[in-house]
mmCIF file of all heavy atoms in Angstrom:
data_model
loop_
_atom_site.group_PDB
_atom_site.id
_atom_site.type_symbol
_atom_site.label_atom_id
_atom_site.label_comp_id
_atom_site.label_asym_id
_atom_site.label_seq_id
_atom_site.Cartn_x
_atom_site.Cartn_y
_atom_site.Cartn_z
ATOM 1 N N ALA A 124 -2.793 -8.368 -8.278
ATOM 2 C CA ALA A 124 -2.203 -7.414 -9.270
ATOM 3 C C ALA A 124 -0.795 -7.323 -8.744
ATOM 4 O O ALA A 124 -0.408 -7.710 -7.608
ATOM 5 C CB ALA A 124 -2.820 -6.092 -9.340
ATOM 6 N N GLU A 125 0.105 -6.747 -9.680
ATOM 7 C CA GLU A 125 1.503 -6.523 -9.239
ATOM 8 C C GLU A 125 1.900 -5.168 -9.769
ATOM 9 O O GLU A 125 1.576 -4.784 -10.860
ATOM 10 C CB GLU A 125 2.472 -7.654 -9.751
ATOM 11 C CG GLU A 125 2.570 -7.731 -11.220
ATOM 12 C CD GLU A 125 3.414 -8.766 -11.703
ATOM 13 O OE1 GLU A 125 3.921 -9.680 -10.729
ATOM 14 O OE2 GLU A 125 3.769 -8.836 -12.869
ATOM 15 N N LEU A 126 2.656 -4.437 -8.967
ATOM 16 C CA LEU A 126 3.408 -3.270 -9.468
ATOM 17 C C LEU A 126 4.751 -3.675 -9.739
ATOM 18 O O LEU A 126 5.496 -4.398 -8.978
ATOM 19 C CB LEU A 126 3.459 -2.162 -8.346
ATOM 20 C CG LEU A 126 2.143 -1.408 -7.928
ATOM 21 C CD1 LEU A 126 1.274 -2.278 -7.206
ATOM 22 C CD2 LEU A 126 2.507 -0.192 -7.113
ATOM 23 N N TYR A 127 5.388 -3.309 -10.890
ATOM 24 C CA TYR A 127 6.660 -3.794 -11.292
ATOM 25 C C TYR A 127 7.446 -2.636 -11.954
ATOM 26 O O TYR A 127 6.834 -1.774 -12.578
ATOM 27 C CB TYR A 127 6.537 -5.007 -12.239
ATOM 28 C CG TYR A 127 5.836 -4.787 -13.565
ATOM 29 C CD1 TYR A 127 6.619 -4.704 -14.704
ATOM 30 C CD2 TYR A 127 4.451 -4.727 -13.683
ATOM 31 C CE1 TYR A 127 5.999 -4.379 -15.908
ATOM 32 C CE2 TYR A 127 3.884 -4.579 -14.879
ATOM 33 C CZ TYR A 127 4.561 -4.421 -16.008
ATOM 34 O OH TYR A 127 4.026 -4.175 -17.272
ATOM 35 N N ARG A 128 8.741 -2.642 -11.829
ATOM 36 C CA ARG A 128 9.605 -1.622 -12.289
ATOM 37 C C ARG A 128 9.889 -1.953 -13.744
ATOM 38 O O ARG A 128 10.151 -3.102 -14.146
ATOM 39 C CB ARG A 128 11.004 -1.700 -11.478
ATOM 40 C CG ARG A 128 11.852 -0.463 -11.897
ATOM 41 C CD ARG A 128 13.190 -0.751 -11.281
ATOM 42 N NE ARG A 128 13.295 -0.852 -9.909
ATOM 43 C CZ ARG A 128 13.257 0.147 -9.065
ATOM 44 N NH1 ARG A 128 13.166 1.373 -9.540
ATOM 45 N NH2 ARG A 128 13.288 -0.125 -7.728
ATOM 46 N N ARG A 129 9.760 -0.941 -14.585
ATOM 47 C CA ARG A 129 10.049 -0.998 -16.025
ATOM 48 C C ARG A 129 10.897 0.202 -16.366
ATOM 49 O O ARG A 129 10.384 1.306 -16.516
ATOM 50 C CB ARG A 129 8.692 -1.062 -16.868
ATOM 51 C CG ARG A 129 8.943 -1.212 -18.291
ATOM 52 C CD ARG A 129 9.815 -2.408 -18.683
ATOM 53 N NE ARG A 129 9.296 -3.601 -18.201
ATOM 54 C CZ ARG A 129 8.441 -4.388 -18.841
ATOM 55 N NH1 ARG A 129 8.023 -4.168 -19.956
ATOM 56 N NH2 ARG A 129 8.127 -5.579 -18.292
ATOM 57 N N GLY A 130 12.200 -0.015 -16.522
ATOM 58 C CA GLY A 130 13.129 0.948 -16.810
ATOM 59 C C GLY A 130 13.216 1.915 -15.598
ATOM 60 O O GLY A 130 13.423 1.417 -14.505
ATOM 61 N N THR A 131 12.942 3.182 -15.756
ATOM 62 C CA THR A 131 12.997 4.174 -14.675
ATOM 63 C C THR A 131 11.655 4.323 -13.995
ATOM 64 O O THR A 131 11.624 5.105 -13.012
ATOM 65 C CB THR A 131 13.601 5.559 -15.078
ATOM 66 O OG1 THR A 131 12.751 6.038 -16.123
ATOM 67 C CG2 THR A 131 15.015 5.350 -15.531
ATOM 68 N N GLY A 132 10.630 3.730 -14.554
ATOM 69 C CA GLY A 132 9.237 3.942 -14.102
ATOM 70 C C GLY A 132 8.681 2.661 -13.455
ATOM 71 O O GLY A 132 9.371 1.665 -13.463
ATOM 72 N N TRP A 133 7.320 2.728 -13.186
ATOM 73 C CA TRP A 133 6.640 1.708 -12.624
ATOM 74 C C TRP A 133 5.319 1.397 -13.378
ATOM 75 O O TRP A 133 4.746 2.348 -13.859
ATOM 76 C CB TRP A 133 6.442 1.758 -11.164
ATOM 77 C CG TRP A 133 7.619 1.597 -10.215
ATOM 78 C CD1 TRP A 133 8.528 2.503 -10.086
ATOM 79 C CD2 TRP A 133 7.782 0.484 -9.444
ATOM 80 N NE1 TRP A 133 9.579 1.949 -9.140
ATOM 81 C CE2 TRP A 133 9.131 0.766 -8.780
ATOM 82 C CE3 TRP A 133 7.265 -0.703 -9.201
ATOM 83 C CZ2 TRP A 133 9.747 -0.198 -7.916
ATOM 84 C CZ3 TRP A 133 7.766 -1.596 -8.293
ATOM 85 C CH2 TRP A 133 9.042 -1.398 -7.725
ATOM 86 N N LYS A 134 4.860 0.234 -13.512
ATOM 87 C CA LYS A 134 3.669 -0.171 -14.091
ATOM 88 C C LYS A 134 2.803 -1.058 -13.193
ATOM 89 O O LYS A 134 3.401 -1.660 -12.291
ATOM 90 C CB LYS A 134 3.846 -0.872 -15.490
ATOM 91 C CG LYS A 134 4.676 -0.039 -16.434
ATOM 92 C CD LYS A 134 4.889 -0.701 -17.764
ATOM 93 C CE LYS A 134 3.673 -0.604 -18.648
ATOM 94 N NZ LYS A 134 3.878 -1.146 -20.012
ATOM 95 N N LEU A 135 1.460 -1.118 -13.431
ATOM 96 C CA LEU A 135 0.599 -1.989 -12.690
ATOM 97 C C LEU A 135 0.100 -3.054 -13.775
ATOM 98 O O LEU A 135 -0.385 -2.684 -14.833
ATOM 99 C CB LEU A 135 -0.518 -1.277 -12.199
ATOM 100 C CG LEU A 135 -1.609 -2.152 -11.506
ATOM 101 C CD1 LEU A 135 -1.081 -2.517 -10.046
ATOM 102 C CD2 LEU A 135 -2.863 -1.318 -11.355
ATOM 103 N N ARG A 136 0.194 -4.404 -13.292
ATOM 104 C CA ARG A 136 -0.381 -5.432 -14.173
ATOM 105 C C ARG A 136 -1.466 -6.173 -13.393
ATOM 106 O O ARG A 136 -1.272 -6.478 -12.240
ATOM 107 C CB ARG A 136 0.809 -6.336 -14.525
ATOM 108 C CG ARG A 136 0.322 -7.564 -15.372
ATOM 109 C CD ARG A 136 1.360 -8.594 -15.663
ATOM 110 N NE ARG A 136 2.361 -8.143 -16.552
ATOM 111 C CZ ARG A 136 3.677 -7.914 -16.267
ATOM 112 N NH1 ARG A 136 4.089 -8.407 -15.055
ATOM 113 N NH2 ARG A 136 4.508 -7.537 -17.139
ATOM 114 N N ALA A 137 -2.543 -6.318 -14.077
ATOM 115 C CA ALA A 137 -3.637 -7.201 -13.459
ATOM 116 C C ALA A 137 -3.356 -8.667 -13.619
ATOM 117 O O ALA A 137 -2.811 -9.038 -14.722
ATOM 118 C CB ALA A 137 -4.957 -6.870 -14.236
ATOM 119 N N LEU A 138 -3.498 -9.409 -12.514
ATOM 120 C CA LEU A 138 -3.141 -10.830 -12.634
ATOM 121 C C LEU A 138 -4.374 -11.720 -12.542
ATOM 122 O O LEU A 138 -4.812 -12.261 -13.463
ATOM 123 C CB LEU A 138 -2.195 -11.165 -11.366
ATOM 124 C CG LEU A 138 -0.781 -10.395 -11.453
ATOM 125 C CD1 LEU A 138 0.016 -10.831 -10.171
ATOM 126 C CD2 LEU A 138 -0.034 -10.784 -12.722
ATOM 127 N N GLY A 139 -4.819 -11.959 -11.303
ATOM 128 C CA GLY A 139 -5.985 -12.870 -11.006
ATOM 129 C C GLY A 139 -5.582 -14.292 -11.044
ATOM 130 O O GLY A 139 -6.216 -15.322 -11.473
#
Side-chain angles (χ1 to χ4, degrees):
E125 63 180 10
L126 286 74
Y127 63 102
R128 188 190 302 275
R129 180 56 54 90
T131 59
W133 285 76
K134 302 181 78 172
L135 176 76
R136 178 185 290 121
L138 296 178

